[in-house]
């Protein structure tokens, strides 16, 4: 996934150790995220290979790995929880982490058919809270005493973004400058249309399809039962003539009241 500042890549080789170091307990990223889970390189790799979590490495234009973003499924079908970290504080507030999350969120909605994406932030993380207020994410709840730092408990904030809110956010505006990026389609729209045209031409000219046997067994159009107006029964014809005769008399035809609104 390619952005203006960073690229997201699936990890491999030494990346597992780098991710473990960025997220190690006591690291700047772990402190500000409120996540103190102790994981080594082997455990990070195992968690990814099992599908429990999916990490991607954040790389600069020079190819340097500077952090990670992750996602995992949560809640009902179409729900995801995301997280991220830039390893060195010297690289914070340069837009790397914000763009990486943008790319990940758009990947989830645009390629994995996400319906809802959730982010949880520590209540003492001023930088990330300020960043989140510039996005379309909605504050959905407060987790009281959810994380512990410096001898005290702190709340966490739960932010959520729905699918229609995400696509509306892709239009840049003064109120939304963070998520107005959006990944390009993997396959061009013209190529998709041409693929359908190639298939349609093939079916039209050759007729080779597994459905052929069902089409051969389908009743021909002349085998269908006639519609009521195609061939009326004698009784129906007589009733029709009777109505026609009545209409020719001089007697007034009683009006039929329209049914009341909501009546059957």
């Amino acid at each position: 996934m390619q952005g203006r500042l960073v690229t997201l890549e699936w990890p491999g080789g030494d990346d597992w150790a780098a991710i473990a170091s960025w997220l190690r307990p006591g690291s700047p990223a772990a402190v500000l995220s409120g996540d103190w889970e102790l994981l080594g390189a082997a455990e990070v790799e195992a968690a990814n290979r099992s599908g429990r979590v999916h990490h991607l490495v954040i790389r600069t234009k020079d190819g340097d790995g500077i952090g990670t973003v992750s996602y995992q499924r949560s809640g009902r079908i179409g729900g995801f929880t995301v997280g991220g970290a830039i390893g060195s504080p010297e690289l914070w507030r340069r837009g790397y982490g914000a763009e990486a999350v943008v790319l990940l969120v758009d990947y989830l909605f645009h390629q994995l058919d996400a319906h809802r994406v959730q982010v949880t932030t520590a209540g003492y993380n001023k930088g990330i809270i300020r960043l989140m207020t510039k996005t379309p994410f909605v504050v959905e709840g407060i987790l009281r005493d959810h994380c512990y730092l410096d001898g005290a408990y702190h709340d966490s904030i739960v932010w959520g973004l729905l699918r229609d809110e995400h696509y509306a956010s892709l239009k840049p505006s003064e109120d939304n400058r963070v998520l107005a990026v959006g990944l390009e389609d993997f396959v061009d729209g013209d190529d998709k249309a041409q693929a359908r045209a190639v298939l349609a031409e093939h079916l039209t000219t050759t007729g080779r399809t597994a459905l052929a046997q069902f089409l051969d067994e389908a009743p021909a159009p002349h085998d269908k039962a006639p519609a009521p107006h195609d061939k009326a029964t004698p009784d129906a014809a007589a009733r029709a003539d009777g109505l026609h005769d009545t209409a020719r008399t001089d007697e007034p035809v009683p009006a039929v009241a329209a049914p009341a609104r909501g009546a059957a």
Side-chain angles (χ1 to χ4, degrees):
M1 286 166 268
Q2 180 72 52
R4 293 190 295 261
L5 301 175
V6 300
T7 299
L8 300 186
E9 297 180 356
W10 299 111
D14 295 337
D15 292 329
W16 303 115
I19 293 173
S21 69
W22 294 326
L23 303 178
R24 73 184 186 281
S27 69
V31 169
L32 288 183
S33 68
D35 187 357
W36 294 84
E37 187 175 7
L38 178 60
L39 294 175
E43 293 170 301
V44 172
E45 181 177 3
N48 278 263
R49 295 195 182 283
S50 70
R52 183 172 68 86
V53 64
H54 302 275
H55 281 93
L56 293 100
V57 178
I58 305 171
R59 299 195 189 280
T60 64
K61 294 296 185 180
D62 297 329
D64 297 329
I66 60 172
T68 181
V69 286
S70 65
Y71 68 90
Q72 58 191 86
R73 295 185 180 274
S74 63
R76 297 288 183 176
I77 294 176
F80 292 87
T81 298
V82 302
I86 299 295
S88 173
E90 297 177 355
L91 299 177
W92 294 355
R93 293 181 292 278
R94 296 190 184 184
Y96 296 141
E99 186 178 76
V101 172
V102 167
L103 294 172
L104 176 60
V105 168
D106 196 65
Y107 172 73
L108 295 177
F109 281 114
H110 204 54
Q111 301 300 335
L112 297 191
D113 196 23
H115 177 69
R116 179 180 181 277
V117 172
Q118 176 179 306
V119 178
T120 301
T121 61
Y124 51 76
N125 191 336
K126 177 180 64 177
I128 192 65
I129 293 175
R130 179 178 290 124
L131 173 65
M132 294 300 296
T133 62
K134 297 178 181 179
T135 75
F137 275 83
V138 175
V139 175
E140 295 185 336
I142 304 294
L143 303 177
R144 298 178 299 166
D145 289 358
H146 187 250
C147 45
Y148 188 81
L149 180 71
D150 297 337
Y153 285 99
H154 302 269
D155 298 337
S156 290
I157 303 99
V158 178
W159 311 75
L161 182 67
L162 300 181
R163 185 181 185 84
D164 58 342
E165 296 168 340
H166 167 70
Y167 280 104
S169 77
L170 296 182
K171 300 176 182 178
S173 68
E174 287 301 318
D175 296 330
N176 170 41
R177 296 180 295 275
V178 178
L179 283 183
V181 179
L183 293 175
E184 295 182 358
D185 291 342
F186 280 122
V187 179
D188 184 81
D190 290 340
D191 287 344
K192 295 172 183 174
Q194 291 171 18
R196 292 178 61 85
V198 170
L199 176 61
E201 181 181 5
H202 169 73
L203 294 176
T204 301
T205 56
T206 69
R208 291 202 306 271
T209 168
L211 300 177
Q213 59 177 327
F214 298 100
L215 297 176
D216 293 341
E217 297 173 4
H222 63 271
D223 293 336
K224 295 190 302 182
H229 60 274
D230 292 338
K231 185 178 180 181
T233 62
D235 291 342
R239 287 196 298 271
D241 289 341
L243 289 174
H244 183 67
D245 291 341
T246 302
R248 288 201 303 265
T249 64
D250 295 333
E251 297 178 3
V253 178
V256 179
R261 185 181 298 272

